[in-house]
Structures are given as structure tokens and as C-alpha cells.
Amino acid sequence: MTYLRLEGIQKAFGSTVALHGVDLEVERGELVSFLGPSGCGKTTTLRIIAGFERPDAGRVILEERDLTDIQPERRGMGMVFQSYGLFPNMTASQNIAFGLRMARRPAAEIRARVTEMLDLIALPEIAARYPNQLSGGQQQRVALARAIAIEPRVLLLDEPLSALDAVVRTSLRMEIREIQQRTGITAIYVTHDQEEALTISDRIVVLDHGRIEQIGSPREVYERPATAFVASFIGQTNRFEGRVVDADQGLVRVASRLLRVPPGPLLVQDAIVQFVVRPERLVFDPGGTLPPEMNRLEGTVLAVTYLGATDMVSVDVDGRRVVVTAPAGRSGPPSPGRSIGLAFDVESCHLIGSADGSEPLGGTPSPSTTAERR
Ligand code: ATP
């Protein structure tokens, strides 16, 4: 049985349509992220689940019960916001106890639960401190403990790490994931940070302009993006466009080259198709040593960016930028201006169903471009 279900959720604010019809099924114990650019409708969806907004159409169903007309405080949701939202005149313990006191739970049970929560967030020593005596990361841990203390039916997190610095963000997102898995709480996590969504989620819902572009595991949305938008929003990618010259063999003509892609239903004879190849799937071709069935490109090195464990090398191929990330080797990356061969496996090519109007390699030039025309 599906635990939480959104059915045809629509929402407009005046003439702004925030959600066009969102359908989603969440299983018990899952952590599902809503990921997308600013204004795509992530927070509106979360607020509709919480009951702070009413949808114009559609239903929110939790364990087969329609919540659409239920007040927020009766839905059993726990919330964590970007701004920690702790009560400044209460200690950490009192903040954590707040929801339990409202629910009139016995004092002994509240004390035990607060201790348990402080242990869960690994901060027993800050029990008596007020929010202004805590760091941002500690305040957000307390906010998380406060939300979990009431044993919410769903934990809703709205960009909970955005106000924190990068180091705290990285460690706290791992802690949130560990706590969510340990407690088995079903969680919805809103973020615009693709790395955060990839590392923390069981599944990611990618939204754009109030529509779901793709729902999938982190691996699925990264390795098999459904659309050009998903491919470009999640990680870096190289996008190619060409005409199918042999659908059975998977041969596509991209500019003047014949490249081979995996066969599939999108490959229709003579159709124009697009496919993506991630930068880490491209390798430099030293000539003669790589398997002959690999796809090959030639170009000129434009720039090299040192990223520690890897080098990111951009290469001009037919006037378009192709990006390669390669492990930083002892011999160093190729220098700018050098001619270079690139190669990639057939399996590294992923066909995408729809374009977003930007310009891929081999495509017809257009004024808007994410494939960075030189
Ligand atoms: P962000 O990452 O910037 O918070 P988001 O994906 O969470 O963005 P929403 O806050 O859900 O986006 O907003 C979706 C759209 O609805 C936007 O165009 C926004 O301007 C609009 N919107 C949201 N709330 C309201 C409101 N109360 N009144 C008018 N328009 C609103």
C-alpha cells in the first residue's frame, strides 16, 4: 500500500500557475527529495502536504485517508525549515519537548523522549542552552529533534541546510540521512542543490515550472535523465544531436561523424535524436590502444580546471565545448591549444526524449544555449 499519495495537485497564485498537476506516490520509510530551480513549485508542494496551502485541484492521501480538508496541526507532520525557527526563550530541551507538551504527554515520558532525541542528534551537552548559545548547525539539529520527537507521520524538510556553511552542510546532510534511516521516518526533502538530493534521497522528484520532469532513484536521474532539462540540471553533461542513419545498428550522424548509441525505442530511422554523455564517461584517446568499437571525437583543448582528485578539461569539438573529467594523473592534463582525441563507450550514451531549446553538439544553432557555443 502506498503510504503518501499526491493526486493531480494543481495550484495557481493569481495568474502564476505554481503546479500543473503533480502526481506522486511515496512508500513508508522513504526519503523523497523535490529538486528543481527557484520557483519550480517545490515549496508549494511541501506546503500543500503540510496543509498550509490548499490545492485548487487534487488530493493529498496519507494511509488511504484524504487529508485535503484536514487542518495542518491535525495531519501529524513534523517540519524543519531553512530558518531554524526555534523558540528563543526556551532551552534546547524545552524546544524539543514543545510538541510533546502540547500533546499533553506525561512528564516522565517527555523527559525520556528529550534525552533520547538529544542522544539521536549527538548533542546531550547542549540540553540547557538557549538557541542564541548554539551554532547554526546545532540549532538545526535541535529543530530536527523537535520535529522528530512527536513521531511525525511524515517529516517535511524545506531547504534545511541552506543557511549553513558548506562543511556543516555536508556533515549534517549525512546525519539527517542516518537519523531518517535509523528511525524509519518517511521524509520529504526540498532542495535546489543537486548534490544534496543525489546523496540523501531514496528517490528524487525533479520539478520544472510546476511540472514533474522525472521521478527516479539518484542513479536513475543521473545516469538516465528523461529530458534535456534533467540532464543539464543534475550534474554536468555533454549533449549531442544527430540523425538516425541506421536504427538497428544504433548509428547516428552527428555533424560529420557517425556515432553509435544503444538501440532503443527512441531510435527511429531518419529521426533527429539527442543523447547525453557525462564528462566522466569520456576518455582521452592516446591513439591505437582503445577498443576500436568506441565512439571517437577530435578537438582542441580549451581550458583545464584542477579539481583535486580530477581535472576538468574542456575541448572544442566542431565549435562546441565538450567537457571531460579525468582522474588527476601524474603526467598531468593536456595543455590548452593541443589537439586531442576523445573516446567514449556506446553504453555511455543515453538517449533523451525531449529537448529544452538549448543547443547540443551537432544541433542547429539557436540563440539560447547551454551547450556553450564558442
Ligand atoms: P525556491 O527554491 O525559490 O523557494 P520553489 O521551487 O520552492 O522556489 P515555490 O515557492 O513553490 O517555488 O513557488 C512556485 C511559484 O509560485 C513561483 O512562481 C512563486 O513566485 C509562486 N508563489 C509561491 N507562493 C506564492 C504566493 N503566496 N503568492 C504568489 N505567488 C506565489
Side-chain angles (χ1 to χ4, degrees):
M1 183 185 76
T2 302
Y3 186 63
L4 172 68
R5 198 161 70 239
L6 306 186
E7 283 182 1
I9 301 284
Q10 293 178 24
K11 181 72 184 173
F13 297 100
S15 58
T16 306
V17 180
L19 299 171
H20 287 272
V22 166
D23 295 293
L24 175 67
E25 296 194 343
V26 178
E27 299 303 324
R28 188 191 288 272
E30 256 194 313
L31 191 157
V32 173
S33 293
F34 293 159
L35 174 67
S38 184
C40 72
K42 309 180 289 289
T43 299
T44 302
T45 313
L46 197 80
R47 288 173 58 80
I48 286 173
I49 297 172
F52 300 139
E53 297 284 356
R54 212 190 136 76
D56 300 332
R59 302 193 302 163
V60 177
I61 316 267
L62 184 63
E63 291 188 288
E64 298 306 316
R65 181 168 173 226
D66 189 343
L67 293 188
T68 318
D69 292 320
I70 308 284
Q71 291 301 308
E73 61 277 9
R74 304 189 68 86
R75 293 189 179 198
M77 307 275 168
M79 294 238 17
V80 180
F81 303 95
Q82 177 180 341
S83 53
Y84 322 120
L86 297 177
F87 303 114
N89 54 339
M90 292 185 194
T91 63
S93 286
Q94 288 165 343
N95 265 284
I96 296 170
F98 181 78
L100 300 165
R101 287 220 323 270
M102 289 291 106
R104 300 188 189 287
R105 305 281 265 272
E109 182 195 322
I110 295 178
R111 267 198 308 277
R113 185 78 177 145
V114 169
T115 306
E116 188 191 339
M117 288 298 105
L118 286 165
D119 285 342
L120 189 69
I121 58 168
L123 285 176
E125 69 279 9
I126 57 100
R129 285 204 222 156
Y130 287 89
N132 67 2
Q133 298 169 319
L134 299 170
S135 71
Q138 289 170 332
Q139 287 185 61
Q140 200 57 312
R141 284 181 181 85
V142 173
L144 179 67
R146 184 179 61 180
I148 293 178
I150 58 165
E151 297 183 64
R153 299 163 81 198
V154 184
L155 179 65
L156 304 173
L157 304 114
D158 192 0
E159 307 246 8
L161 305 179
S162 303
L164 302 167
D165 70 52
V167 175
V168 180
R169 228 167 35 224
T170 310
S171 64
L172 196 48
R173 78 177 180 221
M174 281 164 64
E175 272 180 55
I176 290 177
R177 178 59 162 158
E178 280 165 23
I179 289 172
Q180 182 268 333
Q181 287 186 319
R182 213 174 326 147
T183 53
I185 290 179
T186 309
I188 307 285
Y189 190 104
V190 162
T191 180
H192 61 265
D193 181 331
Q194 44 109 6
E195 191 182 307
E196 206 166 287
L198 288 173
T199 50
I200 206 168
S201 318
D202 291 303
R203 283 187 305 150
I204 299 175
V205 178
V206 186
L207 284 161
D208 187 32
H209 289 102
R211 289 197 167 82
I212 292 180
E213 290 271 316
Q214 186 169 5
I215 303 174
S217 69
R219 190 176 290 278
E220 278 164 356
V221 295
Y222 185 80
E223 293 189 359
R224 295 195 293 283
T227 63
F229 172 80
V230 177
S232 59
F233 191 75
I234 299 181
Q236 261 198 316
T237 198
N238 298 296
R239 196 146 51 87
F240 299 86
E241 181 178 289
R243 185 177 294 279
V244 179
V245 296
D246 188 332
D248 294 337
Q249 297 286 318
L251 285 178
V252 178
R253 183 173 297 284
V254 177
S256 59
R257 306 155 211 280
L258 268 187
L259 299 178
R260 197 180 293 270
V261 301
L266 290 171
L267 275 193
V268 177
Q269 194 68 32
D270 293 323
I272 301 291
V273 291
Q274 293 201 355
F275 60 95
V276 290
V277 184
R278 293 288 183 189
E280 65 274 16
R281 296 301 192 108
L282 285 143
V283 293
F284 299 119
D285 181 6
T289 54
L290 295 173
E293 64 275 14
M294 287 179 89
N295 287 311
R296 283 181 163 70
L297 302 170
E298 301 83 38
T300 309
V301 176
L302 290 169
V304 179
T305 311
Y306 175 66
L307 299 174
T310 55
D311 289 315
M312 189 173 81
V313 181
S314 58
V315 180
D316 178 347
V317 178
D318 299 338
R320 301 287 158 76
R321 184 186 304 238
V322 171
V323 177
V324 185
T325 46
R330 220 175 305 166
S331 58
S335 35
R338 208 184 111 182
S339 298
I340 197 151
L342 303 174
F344 53 99
D345 284 325
V346 175
E347 291 70 35
S348 300
C349 306
H350 172 72
L351 283 149
I352 49 177
S354 69
D356 64 357
S358 59
E359 190 185 350
L361 199 148
T364 323
S366 71
S368 66
T369 169
T370 55
E372 291 191 58
R373 188 159 198 176
R374 288 197 64 226

